[in-house]
């Protein structure tokens, strides 16, 4: 789990329910980690836990303001654009005012690959809000044994 130490989970994504997984994938990708999708599902999240507590149902908890900051942080790092425009969803002024970019050197994107490279890899168009469904079929089978060194440690792209 070396990657968790090299690219730690962002503790400033307060009450973010949608977006933190994609952002973490982007952070890993831009730090040089390759992403793989198994042919068959091997893990899943069981959402239908009847009676299980969820943060949005805690009486008296006003999470909306903190959630907005967390979602704004995701949009900031993803450089999210308003649909069909090149206008950012969060402005630089809003980011600075709310300190949304705090500890960006630790929890921000990496420098091995760019966010734009990720969008190309994922077949995503951030302006049109579309995903190229053919992208799943374009991915080739990879023998993951080649991704490990002699000590059986995962090797990042720039180390190969």
């Amino acid at each position: 789990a070396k990657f968790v130490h090299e690219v730690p989970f962002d503790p400033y994504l307060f009450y973010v329910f949608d977006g933190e997984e994609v952002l973490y994938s982007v952070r890993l990708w831009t730090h040089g980690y390759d992403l793989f999708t198994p042919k068959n599902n091997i893990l899943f999240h069981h959402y239908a836990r009847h009676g299980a507590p969820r943060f949005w149902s805690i009486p008296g908890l006003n999470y909306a303001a903190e959630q907005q900051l967390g979602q704004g942080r995701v949009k900031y790092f993803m450089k999210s654009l308003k649909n069909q425009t090149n206008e950012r969803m969060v402005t630089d002024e809003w980011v600075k005012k709310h300190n949304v970019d705090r500890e960006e050197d630790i929890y921000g994107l990496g420098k091995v690959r760019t966010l734009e490279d990720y969008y190309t890899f994922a077949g995503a168009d951030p302006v049109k809000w579309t995903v190229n469904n053919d992208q799943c079929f374009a991915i080739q089978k990879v023998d993951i044994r080649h991704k490990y060194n002699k000590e059986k440690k995962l090797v990042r792209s720039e180390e190969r």
Side-chain angles (χ1 to χ4, degrees), residues 113-131:
R113 293 186 274 210
T114 67
L115 176 62
E116 292 71 23
D117 290 337
Y118 175 82
Y119 282 134
T120 300
F121 166 77
D125 185 328
V127 174
K128 296 179 183 174
W129 290 13
T130 59
V131 177

Side-chain angles (χ1 to χ4, degrees), residues 69-87:
L69 294 176
Q71 290 170 337
R73 188 169 170 90
V74 171
K75 292 172 185 174
Y76 168 72
F77 286 130
M78 297 290 295
K79 298 182 183 176
S80 298
L81 303 173
K82 294 180 181 178
N83 195 8
Q84 305 294 324
T85 74
N86 285 315
E87 183 182 348

Side-chain angles (χ1 to χ4, degrees), residues 40-130:
N40 298 310
N41 287 334
I42 57 173
L43 296 170
F44 67 95
H45 186 107
H46 184 61
Y47 287 99
R49 298 171 303 171
H50 300 291
R54 292 170 175 77
F55 69 82
W56 56 81
S57 61
I58 299 172
L61 177 64
N62 184 7
Y63 64 87
E66 288 190 47
Q67 185 182 50
Q68 182 182 18
L69 294 176
Q71 290 170 337
R73 188 169 170 90
V74 171
K75 292 172 185 174
Y76 168 72
F77 286 130
M78 297 290 295
K79 298 182 183 176
S80 298
L81 303 173
K82 294 180 181 178
N83 195 8
Q84 305 294 324
T85 74
N86 285 315
E87 183 182 348
R88 293 265 178 97
M89 286 187 163
V90 292
T91 64
D92 291 338
E93 295 79 22
W94 186 85
V95 168
K96 296 296 178 200
K97 177 181 177 183
H98 297 287
N99 199 22
V100 169
D101 59 348
R102 67 179 167 256
E103 297 192 79
E104 183 173 0
D105 57 323
I106 299 170
Y107 304 111
L109 303 184
K111 304 204 182 319
V112 176
R113 293 186 274 210
T114 67
L115 176 62
E116 292 71 23
D117 290 337
Y118 175 82
Y119 282 134
T120 300
F121 166 77
D125 185 328
V127 174
K128 296 179 183 174
W129 290 13
T130 59

Side-chain angles (χ1 to χ4, degrees), residues 10-23:
D10 189 339
Y12 300 113
L13 300 178
F14 307 113
Y15 304 110
V16 174
F17 190 71
D18 293 317
E20 76 279 8
E21 297 97 340
V22 173
L23 177 58

